[in-house]
Amino acid sequence: MCGIIAYKGPREAVPIVIEGLKKLEYRGYDSWGVASVSGKRIAVHKKVGKVGKAVSSEIRLKGNTAIAHTRWGTHGGITEKNAHPHLSCDGKYAVVHNGIVENYQELKKKLIGEGHKFVSESDTEVIVHLIEKEAGKGLKNAVQKVAGELKGRSAFVVMTAEGEIAASRKGSPLIAGKGNGEYYIASDIPAFLEHTNKVMYVDDNEMLVIEDSEIKFYSIATGKEIQKRTVEIDWKSESAEKGDYKHFLIKEIMEQKDTLWRAINQDESKIINVANEIKNAYGTFLVGCGTAGKVCMTGEYLFAKIAAKHLNHAIASEFPSYEPFLTSKTLMIAVSQSGETADVLEAIESAKSKKAKVISLLNVFGSTMMRVSDEFFIVNAGTEKAVVSTKATTAQLAVLTLLAYAAAGKLGEGKRLLLDTASAVNDMLNPRYEEHIRKLAERLRSNENIYIIGRSLNYPMALEAAIKIQETSYIHAEGFAGGELKHGPIALISKGTPCIALVANDHVKDETISNAMEIKSRGGYIIGISPENNDVFDYWIKVPDAGNASPIVNIIPIQILAYQLAVLKGLDPDMPRNLAKSVTVK
Ligand code: F6R
């Protein structure tokens, strides 16, 4: 998490990095800071809160070289002191950092013993003191030495009072951009895309130095120079705006009218080839985190039901427990919106170390996962700005459904089903539908708990529904497999407890309705999300009858509910507390 941007060139640097920082806010938004060099002096400005709220005229820093950072705190409270950039004791070096220095306690103790004074609780501060300590060796050697000493996944940028910039990447994203006599370093391309589309990818275990208007790349391990290609990115500058919508979240939910069509529109021969690889693999793991992890779980059900093929899903952070089963015949399918999630990248690294093949399902083109995977699908949901994932989720579900049908030799049938589903979603997303769900949100807004049940394909969606409600409304929400309820959780039900039942017209419909009955008999208030109404429902939200695409249609009303709950409770649906869109720490 955390967003980094640096600029060195002939223009005033601070407005450029502040604007860039606003494009990186999805990576963390608890505090931010900027440092620039002017007259061989580094000046710093830091604030708690979102950079989006920054007033440019209040930032009085000048100079042609600057670094900036938006933070998602890991070590130390959300304070100005802990915000980046951090300065060395002599004030001649400033550092911004994304990731975690896992051995910072030991390094800090040593540095304090050597006389360095720390002013923050942040792990990052050790980097700038280490640079100061090694500075006599020259900037390149100092960065190489320090990068080698840090444990854990991280990327950092150093700025010197002489106006030099250097950066290191070990497991966290970093990209360089080249303009006309100017350079940018950032965590992600949109941060500088309005200025240049010429990028140089910094790979893992590489570092760079910008001196005398020249950029040079080096291996951290050997110090040897690496020649880099400049790639021209064929993207428009980040144009995702809210338009007539009040929030990105509702805009992105509504965009599912289009995004499903785009997700389905994949290269058919590639779908068939990958489906064959899944069929022939000796063990396939679907790996992802959070919502993408629930998509992976749905994938396991989809392949079992549609293609009679057993796949394993694993939460990426738990994947180390499965590593002993990796061989060169294993296939890993990594699912990620951002393509940058640290735990998924680690799972990919361990798969690759065993020579297993890795195929990714991604939304962000050019992401690290795209570059390290053997093959990839872009799910084409378009930029997802809201931290809460919606349109990327249903696009991922659509591509996995397509793959499952292809694995069963029924790609045509799968495509027809998904096209019908996209069309039904298009009809479903109208203002009357939204209003019906808003009324439900009114009923639920003051509740302390909401439970969700589902079976089979809709069990993972019950878990995903809980994530959506937790993120936006801060209400305690929990999803259960319908059949599991009576093995414990039913004790939580009392008069009026809301319980959402995800019911599809499938082989588990009757059992799910029975589970809803069991809850209702104990006083529960039943909200049915289903193609047909049922006596057990106290509140019914109709969804299209989508067969094996039911996870897609069942999660959409929950997304709207989550949005409406945030709005009714006066919360920010786009940037919920404590979260970040791209989770680049473990
Ligand atoms: C929830 C959400 C997160 C992400 C998770 C993985 O709405 O968005 O749970 O799904 O952080 O992120 P990606 O998909 O970028 O790997």
Side-chain angles (χ1 to χ4, degrees), residues 289-292 336-339 341 387-389 467-468 471 581 583:
C289 292
T291 289
S336 173
Q337 189 284 132
S338 62
T341 303
V387 166
V388 176
S389 182
I467 296 185
K468 293 294 87 117
E471 285 181 305
K581 181 105 190 121
V583 184

Side-chain angles (χ1 to χ4, degrees), residues 430-442 528 539-542 560-561 564:
N430 61 55
R432 253 183 314 121
Y433 198 70
E434 256 189 278
E435 178 53 21
H436 182 57
I437 297 173
R438 199 194 61 76
K439 284 193 181 131
L440 175 65
E442 288 272 14
Y539 202 98
W540 175 46
I541 298 174
K542 187 176 169 101
I560 300 173
L561 175 66
Q564 297 291 359

Side-chain angles (χ1 to χ4, degrees), residues 259-272 274 360-363 376-381 394-403 411 415 418-419:
T259 50
L260 284 170
W261 305 97
R262 296 210 302 260
I264 306 160
N265 192 15
Q266 297 288 340
D267 173 346
E268 286 197 5
S269 59
K270 194 167 159 192
I271 290 277
I272 291 168
V274 169
S360 296
L361 243 67
L362 308 165
N363 193 37
F376 64 89
F377 289 99
I378 297 294
V379 300
N380 291 323
T394 49
Q396 290 160 350
L397 287 168
V399 177
L400 278 180
T401 309
L402 214 52
L403 281 168
L411 179 57
K415 203 157 180 185
L418 287 162
L419 287 171

Side-chain angles (χ1 to χ4, degrees), residues 292-512:
K294 304 301 170 266
V295 170
C296 291
M297 192 176 177
T298 316
E300 186 175 321
Y301 280 95
L302 284 167
F303 272 83
K305 188 159 182 233
I306 300 167
K309 172 81 189 165
H310 176 65
L311 269 57
N312 307 279
H313 90 276
I315 298 167
S317 56
E318 291 296 320
F319 189 72
S321 301
Y322 298 92
E323 272 172 16
F325 306 114
L326 284 171
T327 72
S328 59
K329 291 187 186 135
T330 312
L331 180 63
M332 177 175 282
I333 302 179
V335 180
S336 173
Q337 189 284 132
S338 62
E340 300 292 352
T341 303
D343 286 313
V344 184
L345 280 168
E346 288 230 337
I348 292 178
E349 280 159 21
S350 67
K352 289 192 78 102
S353 73
K354 296 280 171 57
K355 307 221 170 343
K357 184 160 186 179
V358 178
I359 299 171
S360 296
L361 243 67
L362 308 165
N363 193 37
V364 177
F365 187 89
S367 55
T368 305
M369 275 179 221
M370 182 182 121
R371 289 182 295 118
V372 299
S373 299
D374 298 295
E375 275 185 64
F376 64 89
F377 289 99
I378 297 294
V379 300
N380 291 323
T383 308
E384 200 179 58
K385 287 265 229 186
V387 166
V388 176
S389 182
T390 54
K391 60 177 181 166
T393 311
T394 49
Q396 290 160 350
L397 287 168
V399 177
L400 278 180
T401 309
L402 214 52
L403 281 168
Y405 273 97
K410 296 178 185 167
L411 179 57
E413 188 184 320
K415 203 157 180 185
R416 273 190 303 281
L417 169 73
L418 287 162
L419 287 171
D420 288 348
T421 305
S423 164
V425 165
N426 192 63
D427 296 343
M428 178 173 122
L429 288 172
N430 61 55
R432 253 183 314 121
Y433 198 70
E434 256 189 278
E435 178 53 21
H436 182 57
I437 297 173
R438 199 194 61 76
K439 284 193 181 131
L440 175 65
E442 288 272 14
R443 161 77 178 72
L444 299 183
R445 61 185 286 192
S446 310
N447 275 89
E448 282 179 6
N449 306 294
I450 300 177
Y451 300 108
I452 310 101
I453 58 164
R455 281 176 175 250
S456 183
L457 293 174
N458 283 290
Y459 165 43
M461 286 302 103
L463 303 180
E464 165 58 4
I467 296 185
K468 293 294 87 117
I469 296 168
Q470 292 159 2
E471 285 181 305
T472 57
S473 70
Y474 315 153
I475 294 173
H476 169 242
E478 239 181 299
F480 298 105
E484 275 295 290
L485 222 74
K486 52 187 154 296
H487 298 288
I490 203 156
L492 299 168
I493 307 295
S494 60
K495 192 165 169 19
T497 307
C499 180
I500 304 174
L502 304 179
V503 190
N505 250 343
D506 60 7
H507 63 295
V508 291
K509 175 180 166 185
D510 293 344
E511 285 96 328
T512 317

